[in-house]
DNA sequence: GCCCGCGTTGAACACCTGTTTAACCTGCTG
DNA sequence: CAGCAGGTTAAACAGGTGTTCAACGCGGGC
């Protein structure tokens, strides 16, 4: 398959058929969920239904190819963002959200359906969160935690799951423009509450935390 | 339909066929998702496929009936919990989680798929959260917020979405016993980090909050 | 006893699914 | 030019889907 050997473009600049099918599948799956039919995907790619299974073996094979491609894009963009810097990353990504809309929609569908990609994704998110939080601790900006890994994991699940649920209920319709608008709306809606919670917590004092630590006395092994 | 006129039991104590079909549907949908076939549901209820559409008009009608039934159960149990008291409620519910496993699984699938029930559910959860938080504020336990409604909504989305994602990735398999175990595992896994975050926040100082408030100066209208 | 209505069934329908197969067209090579 | 290989297609297949329809059994009222 050409995804292993470069971008897979032709001499005339057009994408190769295999990649065109894969991209059409990513878009369709993102729009309609993984219940979308092979014939619809094939039609989107301007191709017969038999060709997609000829290239990918089966629908499951097609999904796997989509997963791998999206994951490679994530990793690529991630390293690009890391070399960029620390602070401006989020906002730069947010500005580019429209360009990546199909992949984000596909990711949301993956999280919705579960499976390997989803698992790998939140695993990577917890790893990233743990790293960022550790840097924040070192810089004296983030409070230390009794269990860094658990906190990172908790934050990854909560933020990702909250976003997933929000988009599930606000029906993302598909086209990049409305997706960008929706994304902006989501960020505007949750940011104030998130910043407030992160800055000052929810409870007045530590009594509940202390009471809880009485019942679960030993902090998990850190080594 | 008999769901409007009482529990729908027969003289001999057996459930009426309509209710048996509905319950089987709730269980099947919870286990296999809403893609489950009518024939499988009918077989679970010990009935022919034609009968379920004869009673509910269509598959969508069946889903609506399931939604309404689950929602009515929620409201019923909710009021029971409210009359019970404030503190012990959560733990009592947690003990009974096994009894309600099919309904919880159905709810998870509803949140996963979106739709009216899911919307109504998180709407009610934000309303409840807002009430609880207001009581907490009045009791001097919970910090006041710049925007009570937004905070309640944020917390509802985050906690519900986080739980949804967790269960999606940890595959809930179906049977009540393993569901209870999974639920327990989830609570054990997130509680420490949640209590810590709620007690002391994430950031050392208010500088980020203040910086954010510079950009969004006016707190949303409260009246 | 007859008939009617209700609960219920199994077969049929039209459609859609993923997948297989045989053939086609095209361009390159010998 | 023949022939072969690769890309591509249309048709067929086996199965599953929600839904419809005609018929059946059976209890109760006239």
């Amino acid at each position: 398959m050409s995804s292993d050997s470069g971008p897979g473009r032709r001499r005339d600049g057009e994408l190769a058929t295999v990649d065109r099918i894969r991209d059409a599948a990513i878009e369709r799956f993102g729009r309609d969920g993984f219940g979308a039919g092979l014939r619809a995907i094939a039609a989107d790619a301007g191709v017969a239904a038999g060709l997609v299974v000829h290239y990918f073996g089966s629908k499951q094979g097609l999904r796997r190819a989509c997963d791998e491609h999206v994951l490679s894009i994530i990793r690529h963009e991630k390293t690009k963002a890391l070399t960029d810097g620390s602070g401006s990353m989020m906002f730069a990504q947010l500005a580019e959200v429209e360009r990546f809309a199909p992949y984000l929609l596909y990711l949301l569908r993956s999280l919705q359906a579960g499976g390997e990609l989803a698992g790998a994704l939140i695993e990577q998110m917890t790893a990233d969160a743990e790293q960022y939080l550790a840097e924040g601790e070192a810089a004296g900006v983030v409070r230390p935690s009794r269990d860094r890994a658990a906190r990172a994991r908790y934050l990854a699940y909560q933020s990702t799951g909250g976003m997933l649920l929000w988009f599930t209920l606000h029906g993302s319709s598909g086209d990049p423009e409305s997706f960008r608008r929706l994304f902006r709306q989501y960020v505007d809606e949750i940011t104030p509450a998130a910043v407030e919670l992160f800055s000052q917590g929810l409870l007045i004092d530590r009594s509940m935390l202390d009471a809880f630590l009485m019942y679960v006395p030993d902090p998990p092994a850190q080594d």
Side-chain angles (χ1 to χ4, degrees), chain A:
Chain A
M1 313 218 171
S2 78
S3 66
D4 296 319
S5 55
R9 298 191 179 261
R10 278 162 153 182
R11 235 175 289 133
D12 52 6
E14 294 276 307
L15 280 108
T17 312
V18 207
D19 302 317
R20 226 175 52 237
I21 294 177
R22 172 180 33 71
D23 288 357
I26 290 176
E27 211 154 329
R28 262 282 162 186
F29 283 148
R31 256 199 264 279
D32 303 349
F34 295 111
L38 286 186
R39 283 167 178 83
I41 295 171
D44 289 351
V47 115
L51 195 57
V52 14
V53 37
H54 167 249
Y55 274 132
F56 299 94
S58 67
K59 184 178 186 178
Q60 187 175 328
L62 176 61
R63 263 211 65 185
R64 197 164 7 206
C66 293
D67 280 11
E68 286 171 8
H69 187 239
V70 170
L71 196 58
S72 84
I73 286 185
I74 292 177
R75 297 208 197 280
H76 181 251
E77 291 296 322
K78 197 64 137 191
T79 59
K80 219 174 67 177
L82 281 181
T83 57
D84 177 4
S86 60
S88 63
M89 177 202 64
M90 296 284 281
F91 296 94
Q93 298 282 46
L94 194 141
E96 285 192 304
V97 68
E98 193 163 355
R99 193 156 67 88
F100 295 119
Y103 305 114
L104 291 175
L105 280 172
Y106 184 88
L107 279 178
L108 282 179
R109 291 282 180 207
S110 278
L111 291 169
Q112 202 171 31
E116 288 190 26
L117 211 209
L121 190 67
I122 76 107
E123 217 54 48
Q124 179 169 318
M125 293 197 75
T126 69
D128 291 349
E130 194 169 348
Q131 180 191 336
Y132 289 146
L133 289 173
E135 292 172 1
E137 284 187 52
V141 181
V142 173
R143 297 193 114 92
S145 169
R146 308 206 143 250
D147 189 341
R148 300 231 273 254
R151 177 168 73 174
R153 178 167 296 269
Y154 170 76
L155 288 174
Y157 266 97
Q158 297 288 307
S159 57
T160 311
M163 176 169 143
L164 168 64
L165 180 58
W166 195 92
F167 273 84
T168 300
L169 292 184
H170 290 70
S172 49
S173 89
D175 76 294
E177 167 56 29
S178 90
F179 181 72
R180 181 192 167 84
R181 190 158 10 98
L182 232 56
F183 196 87
R184 185 83 210 182
Q185 184 187 339
Y186 173 70
V187 172
D188 289 348
E189 197 172 308
I190 70 152
T191 305
V195 171
E196 189 184 87
L197 175 65
F198 290 162
S199 294
Q200 61 184 28
L202 188 72
L203 305 172
I204 292 282
D205 56 22
R206 292 173 38 96
S207 63
M208 187 170 177
L209 177 56
D210 294 333
F212 177 76
L213 292 177
M214 294 277 293
Y215 283 92
V216 187
D218 45 351
Q222 195 84 339
D223 52 349

